Amino acid sequence: MKNPISAGISPLLSVRDLQVHFSTPTGPVRAVAGVSFDLQPGETLGLVGESGCGKTVTALSILRLLPPATSEMTGEIRFRGEDLAACSDSRLRQIRGDRIAMVFQEPMTALNPVLTIGDQVMEALCLHRGLTHAEARREAALALTRVGLPEAETRLKQYPHQLSGGLRQRALIAMALACEPEVLIADEPTTALDVTIQAQILALLASLQAQMGMAVLFITHNLGIVAQSADRVAVMYAGLIVETAPTPALFKQPGHPYTRGLLSSVPKLDFHRPPGGGLPAIKGHVPQEPPPGCLFRDRCPDARAVCEEEPPWLEVGREHLVRCWNFA
């Protein structure tokens, strides 16, 4: 199956066989093992998995933000047909922050502490739109207002430490959306925020996406957020996507044992803990050196001898594909 992670004919963003290795004193370490997916105009794709499975590395690779001295990336990353993995640094700077933008993890640390909020929002406007300082300041105030930051003119003069976590996250979103990108990569945008602020940020992103018509790659380990926000889901394990499906189908009938394990680990209101027991959990840990064949086989309750061979993509429903021998 040549193009398994696709929901249409002409994707806005297309990633093919992305592989990333990092150099270490003991040798190269594989962080991403051949990821492929498509992102259609206006849709939200949720990329989910445990911490350390390669989600953030995948996101940083799309914009080529990994340190070149210690990382090696191969594969294709096409935006409107143009391969970002092969384009020049100057061309990438034209696209990055303008047509593709990113909201980074950890609002407490993602902003530059020595620059005002205004300076940080204005930077992209001056660079990509060629605005004067006065014009960029007006646009920055509008961007802060659009994301619900009160007293925008005052916020422009403030430094990150003067804002709460929720307001910092709104400032990060304002920075990312100032140039009205076609693609937004949101990497754990609600991490470190309390649940009420999380709900506000998710509602804000959904509203802005509807207004601007942008596509969103939503990276998270929170399946509740995925259920609420994503049109499609790609489940990632040990640097590889192991299942992809429309969101309702994935939650109704998960195919891969890893996906089922993730879903069973989510606390439910009607959950009754057995005496001396706790929440269901996936045994073991993500392997630092993945085994041959199915990457999940050492932790899988359904593993068989055939799992020592690499499973192909298998179709288990409409646009629902799984890498698992149990469906062969």
Side-chain angles (χ1 to χ4, degrees):
M1 198 173 298
K2 187 177 181 181
N3 182 16
I5 317 292
S6 178
I9 298 173
S10 301
L12 182 60
L13 179 69
S14 179
V15 176
R16 289 289 173 272
D17 195 26
L18 176 66
Q19 300 190 45
V20 179
H21 291 79
F22 287 102
S23 300
T24 72
T26 58
V29 173
R30 185 179 69 178
V32 177
V35 163
S36 298
F37 63 83
D38 287 345
L39 183 63
Q40 303 295 330
E43 83 161 339
T44 299
L45 173 64
L47 185 60
V48 303
E50 292 172 275
S51 297
C53 73
K55 305 185 300 296
T56 295
V57 173
T58 297
L60 295 174
S61 299
I62 292 172
L63 293 175
R64 279 174 41 192
L65 291 173
L66 296 173
T70 57
S71 64
E72 180 182 354
M73 183 183 78
T74 60
E76 290 187 354
I77 303 167
R78 293 194 174 274
F79 173 66
R80 292 199 173 278
E82 182 177 5
D83 189 1
L84 302 183
C87 70
S88 66
D89 291 342
S90 59
R91 174 57 180 155
L92 189 63
R93 283 193 293 270
Q94 294 174 351
I95 296 173
R96 188 168 52 204
D98 181 18
R99 300 175 69 189
I100 305 177
M102 185 167 178
V103 177
F104 295 91
Q105 291 189 52
E106 299 293 349
M108 301 300 181
T109 58
L111 291 164
N112 190 325
V114 301
L115 295 177
T116 65
I117 298 299
D119 287 338
Q120 296 185 62
V121 178
M122 290 163 57
E123 182 179 11
L125 292 164
C126 292
L127 177 64
H128 296 295
R129 295 291 181 259
L131 302 182
T132 65
H133 185 275
E135 291 169 339
R137 190 172 184 82
R138 285 195 296 271
E139 288 296 320
L142 289 174
L144 294 181
T145 301
R146 183 166 55 190
V147 299
L149 263 172
E151 302 175 347
E153 286 293 340
T154 300
R155 302 299 182 187
L156 289 175
K157 305 172 187 176
Q158 293 181 323
Y159 289 86
H161 73 271
Q162 296 176 282
L163 274 61
S164 67
L167 294 184
R168 290 188 207 185
Q169 191 63 280
R170 289 175 186 266
L172 283 172
I173 294 171
M175 288 171 57
L177 301 186
C179 294
E180 300 187 356
E182 296 175 74
V183 175
L184 177 68
I185 301 172
D187 186 9
E188 302 276 10
T190 58
T191 296
L193 302 177
D194 65 57
V195 291
T196 56
I197 303 300
Q198 283 185 22
Q200 293 173 16
I201 295 299
L202 292 174
L204 171 64
L205 284 172
S207 174
L208 293 172
Q209 181 182 17
Q211 292 174 31
M212 301 168 66
M214 64 185 173
V216 177
L217 176 60
F218 203 113
I219 297 171
T220 183
H221 62 273
N222 189 322
L223 290 167
I225 289 176
V226 169
Q228 177 182 342
S229 306
D231 301 305
R232 289 189 298 125
V233 185
V235 180
M236 195 167 182
Y237 178 75
L240 191 69
I241 291 176
V242 297
E243 182 167 8
T244 179
T247 303
L250 185 105
F251 280 82
K252 183 178 180 180
Q253 194 169 9
H256 199 280
Y258 178 62
T259 308
R260 295 199 300 269
L262 289 177
L263 290 172
S264 66
S265 300
V266 176
K268 299 176 178 61
L269 291 176
D270 59 352
F271 173 73
H272 297 288
R273 186 177 67 177
L279 284 170
I282 302 172
K283 69 174 185 178
H285 305 279
V286 179
Q288 293 194 0
E289 294 186 10
C294 175
L295 301 180
F296 188 62
R297 67 182 176 88
D298 288 346
R299 303 176 69 189
C300 181
D302 304 322
R304 296 176 288 151
V306 71
C307 299
E308 296 182 9
E309 301 177 25
E310 183 178 350
W313 278 110
L314 298 167
E315 190 167 5
V316 298
R318 181 178 175 82
E319 297 180 1
H320 188 169
L321 299 132
V322 180
R323 291 181 190 261
C324 183
W325 284 113
N326 289 329
F327 294 93

